[in-house]
Amino acid sequence: MFGTLLQVPVIGMEFEAFAVLLIAALAGGAFGAALGALPSFVFTGFVVFLGEGLGVLEGDLATDITGVIGFGAVTGPHIAFAGGVAATAYAGRKYPEMEPADWDYHFGKDILYAFGTKPDILAVGAIFGALGMLITRGMNGIGFPTDNIALSVVATAFLARIAFGYPLVGKVGGSSILDMSPFEREETRVAADGGTQTGRLATEPWLPHQYEWSGVTAIGIVGGLLGGFIWLETGSIFMGYAISAMSLLFLNLGVEKIPVTHHITLLGSTGAVIAASAVGSDPVVLLVAGAFGAISALIGEVSQRVFYSHSGTHVDPPAMAIAAFMLVLGVLYLAGLLPNAGYLGL
């Protein structure tokens, strides 16, 4: 009977195959906790780059590498990265003594931290990795018109806040929820007794080197153009995304001011795909790609100012940007206003 229930369209799998995927997702989430959220996402970039590169050269072989491993149970962001994010949120509450001395934000945001082999932290990663897989497959099963991997990354991050007692948005330190000036003035948070919380900044922008509107717009245009160009030359929507993800290795290693661009290059490639169906001019396609990259970058910045900067855990601005932007594109396509929906299987 249980096997029959798993035939419903929302799941769309035989019980045995589903059991394999669930077990792998548990392991993938724990793997993300062991490596740390950001290091696990760097692996996503390398695996997707391998898969897309083989796809350009050999065809169908690479699709399996990209989909089953890169975006699957091993390094899929909704599994490994999400597991690492949830593990960090848990450790921020359970093990504050583990916080590095040079970390200025709440420890629950330190997605560079690798938790190694601590069983309870790995268990949290495993649970949230499995949850991320279930959310993604469920939303895909009902045909929800967005990038449901990105949507799942956001959903599990908010669920981690609820599960471990963090506020969904948090206390605003500036004049408005979008105000980053307390960070610029290095203001610290006010404790319950009226004093200050040592080392905890009043406002914590996602990237201290990538939050000013002009800079975000500039890197958005540049990344979008490059994402569009890569698609024009290779036919791969995800190659630019993979290169962006791999570049985060340098950020993880402590190289200052490395920009985060995977939400930018991905939407740049997507804009190019959509524009190419409507116009025949490659220069125009590139300009659309640059515009899409800038829009995605700005959505990510608004997202971080609202949902990241004021609470104590990581809610991923790139995932929020991808999920929101692709939802708009998916709805516009279903309404007959776009020639295609990029990489969405609609």
Side-chain angles (χ1 to χ4, degrees), residues 89-162:
Y90 169 75
R93 287 291 194 217
K94 182 74 172 180
Y95 301 108
E97 69 276 8
M98 297 173 71
E99 180 178 344
D102 59 349
W103 186 253
D104 292 332
Y105 290 10
H106 193 285
F107 183 40
K109 288 180 173 175
D110 190 359
I111 62 170
L112 288 72
Y113 199 100
F115 290 102
T117 60
K118 201 163 183 61
D120 58 332
I121 296 180
L122 297 189
V124 170
I127 292 168
F128 276 84
L131 184 60
M133 178 275 292
L134 291 170
I135 292 172
T136 300
R137 290 200 65 88
M139 298 307 284
N140 284 342
I142 66 174
F144 194 71
T146 190
D147 183 320
N148 289 311
I149 287 179
L151 181 66
S152 177
V153 169
V154 177
T156 53
F158 278 119
L159 287 172
R161 282 189 175 175
I162 295 170

Side-chain angles (χ1 to χ4, degrees), residues 44-90:
T44 303
F46 278 101
V47 175
V48 172
F49 184 79
L50 171 65
E52 294 301 294
L54 289 174
V56 171
L57 295 174
E58 299 181 19
D60 291 340
L61 170 65
T63 303
D64 291 334
I65 294 174
T66 297
V68 176
I69 300 177
F71 291 134
V74 181
T75 62
H78 58 308
I79 295 173
F81 180 79
V85 166
T88 305
Y90 169 75

